[in-house]
Amino acid sequence: MKGRASIHRDFTVATIDDRLYSAFIEHMGRAIYSGIYEPGHPTANEMGFRKDVLELVRALNIPAIRYPGGNFVSAYKWEDGIGPREDRPVRLDLAWRSKETNQVGINEFAQWAEDAGIEMMLAVNLGTRGIEDARNFVEYCNHPSGTYWSDLRRGHGVEQPYGVNMWCLGNEMDGPWQIGHMEAKEYGRLADETSKAVKAFGKGIETVVCGSSNDQMPTYPEWERQVLEECYENVDYISLHKYFGNNSRNTLNYFAKIEETGRYIQAIGGVIDYVKAKKRARNDIYICFDEWNVWYHNREQDSKNWHAWDWPEAPALLEEDYNLEDAIFVGGLLNEFIRRSDRVKIACIAQLVNVIAPIRAERNGKAWVTSIYHPYRFASLYGRGTALNVAVDGPRYDAEAAQDVNYLDVAAVLAPDGRSITVFAINRGLDESLEFDLALHGFENVRLIDHQAMGGDSTEARVANTCEQPDRIRPREGTGIAVVDGAVKGVLPAFSYNMIRLSVD
Ligand code: AHR
């Protein structure tokens, strides 16, 4: 196969918001307890957080993290997680049928996030609670002193306010499974009023209103229209969620779901524009894709489990073993976010540790990374700057999820200093390598800095990293790509993800 692509310094999509590479972590399964937090673990710090996990998190350079849920947040009382740990109540978590000990609450999590160098993005409970609890939570977190909630925080040893600027207005409120699920208009009104209350605390505060739980929901995209008609002027982002899997064991169709996601983003962009025009609004709303990932390898098994469970504490839930195909998929989805960075400003991989995660941690054991860690890390490290428009010409295929899909999937990012470009290139072809030719216009002195590749080795195809063999699927120095007469030329192996860094003038 042969595929050509071209970029031009002046043909740009948008400045990428760094928060495109954010993450999500929920009080669910072993994400928090025995994931990031495990007092007694050989690497635990004085607060009980695992340093081995923290190190793997830090290497991702994650800009922001959404917390504490997820479905969990819709019946959560944030006040259960503050004050002396020995006085905190144990509660039943209705979302995941588990026992919540509240040993980690906002102050512990804030400390972890600071140690990890990540900004917090907090969700408020609009399922069983509402405006008052949301405003109290913001006051506890953000107000300096001299009020009930701010002085309570200071009494809990946190003198300085956290200054949290990103607030999510509930979670998946369109989903019948959600505790406190609502109709669109009802939720839109509540979100509008809650957002006003949250924003009253300071100028920099931004809010995220819930869009549909995914693009297959019966109320999609009418939900978005109705919700936005109620709250457009008072919110900043609308959330999108989507989980993926190769359930039908058809890899090309799996990869075509990336195009399907592009259409999802485009459709919500259309709804945003429609409501803006209808309301004669002056503000813009962007997309916060605050839950995305691959989730299917053990989904059926887990769903049987959690309804049968007798409220266990931190059960192993959704601990996915990702293979090479999943890593290539994740790289491709991140490429789509880069290509759509004019609309998508924030995106959160869901989740971060143990639960559908790039990082795994054995209880009282080792921490290690799954295959999807690598493309996520490359995108986070090198995908910052300006997204360039990439024109692609090459072989195509039709699939159920989308038609006329390119085998060659490319995104290109010009670094903020304008001196380097990172090209993320995928050959979706299962067995055939692809002759790659990338023309760079408006750039001089193009030189290859680095080429890292995953794939191209059929023995990797169906295996997954494990605690014992955490390096089975990992990037290796790429071969077969060179800069010739200012263009990138070479071969992308079959079924491969490639991160190509170039220095330019
Ligand atoms: O990430 C797991 C769950 O998926 C979240 O709790 C929920 O928001 C979504 O349905």
Side-chain angles (χ1 to χ4, degrees):
M1 291 196 290
K2 276 189 183 170
R4 289 189 311 142
S6 75
I7 53 177
H8 191 294
R9 189 187 271 274
D10 296 337
F11 297 165
T12 62
V13 179
T15 300
I16 295 169
D17 190 317
D18 286 352
R19 295 172 300 176
L20 199 66
Y21 309 112
S22 300
F24 164 51
I25 194 161
E26 178 169 9
H27 279 246
M28 172 183 179
R30 299 196 310 109
I32 302 287
Y33 303 109
S34 78
I36 62 169
Y37 174 81
E38 191 177 347
H41 187 275
T43 71
N45 66 16
E46 59 295 342
M47 285 195 72
F49 288 112
R50 286 180 61 157
K51 286 194 267 188
D52 56 347
V53 174
L54 199 58
E55 206 176 299
L56 294 172
V57 171
R58 277 206 199 106
L60 290 168
N61 194 19
I62 299 170
I65 189 153
R66 179 170 172 257
Y67 170 87
N71 294 339
F72 170 80
V73 81
S74 292
Y76 177 53
K77 275 182 87 175
W78 66 271
E79 305 92 311
D80 288 343
I82 55 175
R85 276 167 160 172
E86 60 281 11
D87 297 341
R88 296 186 191 174
V90 174
R91 302 263 189 207
L92 298 182
D93 159 29
L94 305 182
W96 304 108
R97 240 186 123 79
S98 314
K99 215 165 269 158
E100 171 58 51
T101 61
N102 284 303
Q103 290 304 294
V104 173
I106 182 61
N107 293 322
E108 291 79 23
F109 185 73
Q111 184 60 58
W112 179 84
E114 191 185 324
D115 291 349
I118 311 180
E119 191 179 347
M120 288 192 291
M121 177 177 174
L122 298 178
V124 300
N125 172 355
L126 291 188
T128 59
R129 310 188 90 190
I131 304 171
E132 186 172 356
D133 299 299
R135 58 89 64 213
N136 294 346
F137 192 20
V138 182
E139 187 171 324
Y140 183 88
C141 290
N142 281 11
H143 195 68
S145 64
T147 67
Y148 175 79
W149 291 107
S150 56
D151 286 342
L152 189 63
R153 183 199 68 241
R154 293 169 67 229
H156 293 153
V158 183
E159 186 60 35
Q160 294 305 319
Y162 296 124
V164 178
N165 279 331
M166 283 175 279
W167 292 88
C168 302
L169 306 167
N171 177 68
E172 293 189 348
M173 299 302 290
D174 63 320
W177 59 86
Q178 202 68 217
I179 305 290
H181 152 77
M182 285 174 199
E183 296 304 317
K185 269 189 185 307
E186 200 186 355
Y187 168 66
R189 284 282 307 123
L190 179 61
D192 192 45
E193 294 302 326
T194 310
S195 189
K196 273 159 54 185
V198 167
K199 286 184 171 204
F201 283 90
K203 257 194 162 320
I205 291 182
E206 296 184 317
T207 55
V208 184
V209 69
C210 297
S212 298
S213 301
N214 60 68
D215 56 349
Q216 307 300 314
M217 296 297 288
T219 46
Y220 163 83
E222 185 56 14
W223 169 273
E224 280 80 355
R225 182 188 70 77
Q226 290 191 25
V227 166
L228 285 182
E229 287 197 1
E230 298 300 327
C231 65
Y232 189 94
E233 277 109 333
N234 286 320
V235 299
D236 304 280
Y237 303 92
I238 184 158
S239 72
L240 268 63
H241 290 182
K242 195 168 166 76
Y243 290 96
F244 305 86
N246 184 4
N247 301 77
S248 57
R249 290 269 168 201
N250 178 340
T251 303
L252 286 178
N253 188 52
Y254 182 32
F255 291 159
K257 291 179 187 180
I258 293 165
E259 272 66 19
E260 188 183 52
T261 309
R263 286 203 308 262
Y264 182 17
I265 294 167
Q266 201 174 340
I268 299 304
V271 177
I272 293 171
D273 290 349
Y274 168 79
V275 178
K276 179 177 180 181
K278 186 172 176 190
K279 294 182 88 79
R280 283 29 172 187
R282 299 173 79 88
N283 61 312
D284 285 310
I285 288 186
Y286 294 97
I287 289 171
C288 171
F289 214 122
D290 55 25
E291 285 188 35
W292 65 265
N293 208 348
V294 176
W295 171 5
Y296 80 104
H297 290 284
N298 51 25
R299 190 170 192 151
E300 218 172 293
Q301 194 51 40
D302 278 343
S303 55
K304 271 189 216 135
N305 282 348
W306 76 66
H307 289 292
W309 277 337
D310 189 18
W311 307 98
E313 208 179 297
L317 253 186
L318 277 52
E319 300 193 2
E320 295 275 18
D321 293 320
Y322 294 119
N323 57 27
L324 174 63
E325 170 179 278
D326 301 322
I328 295 175
F329 178 88
V330 162
L333 193 65
L334 286 159
N335 278 1
E336 190 67 19
F337 291 156
I338 293 170
R339 289 188 290 257
R340 306 262 175 188
S341 55
D342 51 339
R343 287 283 191 190
V344 185
K345 296 296 171 189
I346 309 173
C348 306
I349 189 169
Q351 298 189 13
L352 185 61
V353 179
N354 282 336
V355 176
I356 32 176
I359 298 171
R360 296 277 293 273
E362 301 300 310
R363 209 186 283 272
N364 203 28
K366 279 196 243 166
W368 48 284
V369 302
T370 62
S371 66
I372 64 171
Y373 180 92
H374 302 291
Y376 174 46
R377 177 171 162 271
F378 282 142
S380 177
L381 296 189
Y382 305 117
R384 303 190 187 207
T386 304
L388 298 172
N389 228 316
V390 188
V392 173
D393 181 24
R396 291 163 176 264
Y397 66 93
D398 287 337
E400 202 189 316
Q403 281 78 52
D404 207 24
V405 178
N406 266 307
Y407 280 95
L408 174 62
D409 171 349
V410 189
V413 179
L414 179 62
D417 65 2
R419 304 295 305 276
S420 65
I421 296 173
T422 301
V423 178
F424 303 100
I426 291 168
N427 174 7
R428 293 175 176 177
L430 306 183
D431 318 297
E432 252 189 90
S433 58
L434 186 140
E435 242 178 78
F436 182 51
D437 185 337
L438 173 71
L440 295 98
H441 302 283
F443 299 100
E444 282 170 22
N445 294 326
V446 181
R447 276 185 301 259
L448 184 66
I449 307 174
D450 191 14
H451 173 200
Q452 295 291 322
M454 293 176 74
D457 175 351
S458 59
T459 56
E460 286 180 336
R462 294 271 166 211
V463 298
N465 289 349
T466 62
C467 182
E468 292 72 36
Q469 287 179 288
D471 275 339
R472 276 162 132 183
I473 307 172
R474 65 174 169 88
R476 295 186 164 80
E477 183 121 8
T479 52
I481 290 286
V483 175
V484 181
D485 298 332
V488 174
K489 291 181 193 281
V491 172
L492 302 180
F495 202 50
S496 70
Y497 165 90
N498 301 266
M499 193 280 298
I500 301 163
R501 294 187 61 224
L502 306 162
S503 74
V504 293
D505 288 331

